[in-house]
Amino acid sequence: MSTYKVKVTHSGGWQDHDTARIAISLKNPKQQGKKFDAILDWLTPRFNHVVIQLADTLHRHNIAIDEGLDLKAAHKRAVEYGDIWLESHQHLFDKLPSHQLIRWDDRLTQIDVNTYYPQLEQIMHANDNTSANMRKYIDDYMLRRKFVSDDEKQAAYNASRNYVLEESAIYLGLFETERAAEIYPGSYLPLPEHPNKSFTSIDFIRKRGPR
């Protein structure tokens, strides 16, 4: 049994959905171990079906920079990291009433991200809150790093931008093809409004033990 319980910090209308989607970010400690177990405990009585979206190879963009790899090697490393996460957590999936595991390469096969890039490029260059928040998402990643040269800084910026564009394109496609309540322990990538957009943020409370 998990030592944590979930609290909703921002409700995106999850109550209106039968299906939930949880996007697994490899570097998010709130999606590992007992906290991931707590997420499943919260989902189980609330949804009939849960899509577990393992965004492993999305991280190839940042892994290439962080580990000094080319994109092909970074892709392979991301798959390995995804396999490690699954080995530790897949046994917990069975507590869900119904579930589907989808890895990032599956998403890239299902959704043509190039269809959405022109729209996203326009958003990136617009002068509104969505564009400002998307740029801030990239800037926050840059602020967490130290660079030894301008070339390294530019490569990191390009990688982060590609990450944001690819993730955003997948979600624009999902809004059209897979209606679900997105449940995530953290903040969301800012995206334009859509009738099927439903993002709910959660956090955790440690359960009190017996006194």
Side-chain angles (χ1 to χ4, degrees), residues 1-202:
M1 180 179 292
S2 174
T3 55
Y4 297 92
K5 63 180 181 179
V6 165
K7 67 174 182 178
V8 175
T9 56
H10 171 76
S11 177
W14 61 266
Q15 301 93 332
D16 299 328
H17 295 75
D18 293 325
T19 296
R21 184 171 50 241
I22 51 174
I24 304 301
S25 179
L26 294 179
K27 294 188 176 182
N28 188 342
K30 293 183 178 181
Q31 292 179 310
Q32 299 181 24
K34 293 180 178 179
K35 289 184 176 178
F36 179 72
D37 194 15
I39 293 174
L40 298 191
D41 285 342
W42 185 84
L43 292 170
T44 297
R46 292 173 173 85
F47 297 94
N48 294 326
H49 183 67
V50 176
V51 177
I52 301 164
Q53 179 175 282
L54 180 54
D56 47 3
T57 54
L58 172 63
H59 288 269
R60 72 191 184 279
H61 301 290
N62 293 344
I63 289 172
I65 300 300
D66 295 339
E67 302 188 23
L69 303 173
D70 61 37
L71 271 180
K72 183 177 180 179
H75 181 279
K76 181 180 179 181
R77 186 67 54 83
V79 171
E80 292 170 354
Y81 289 154
D83 289 343
I84 291 169
W85 186 90
L86 277 175
E87 185 177 354
S88 298
H89 298 89
Q90 194 163 15
H91 67 283
L92 298 171
F93 298 176
D94 289 339
K95 67 170 57 182
L96 296 167
S98 172
H99 72 271
Q100 179 185 15
L101 171 66
I102 299 180
R103 299 183 74 155
W104 197 253
D105 281 354
D106 299 326
R107 287 302 195 202
L108 291 174
T109 299
Q110 295 169 351
I111 297 170
D112 182 4
V113 294
N114 293 308
T115 300
Y116 300 98
Y117 281 166
Q119 177 186 353
L120 289 166
E121 288 287 358
Q122 287 184 345
I123 293 171
M124 279 276 200
H125 292 93
N127 185 21
D128 57 26
N129 287 337
T130 300
S131 61
N133 288 333
M134 290 184 75
R135 291 193 295 270
K136 184 178 183 300
Y137 200 89
I138 298 171
D139 292 341
D140 287 346
Y141 168 76
M142 299 293 289
L143 290 172
R144 295 195 295 268
R145 294 184 52 86
K146 293 183 179 180
F147 305 100
V148 298
S149 68
D150 289 341
D151 287 345
E152 182 183 343
K153 185 176 182 178
Q154 185 61 50
Y157 176 84
N158 291 340
S160 182
R161 192 175 190 278
N162 290 337
Y163 181 113
V164 168
L165 287 172
E166 183 173 298
E167 184 179 24
S168 299
I170 289 294
Y171 273 99
L172 291 182
L174 288 176
F175 291 161
E176 297 177 2
T177 60
E178 185 181 283
R179 187 175 184 272
E182 190 82 23
I183 312 295
Y184 189 73
S187 59
Y188 278 102
L189 185 68
L191 289 170
E193 291 304 315
H194 189 282
N196 291 334
K197 179 180 175 181
S198 174
F199 286 162
T200 293
S201 297
I202 60 172

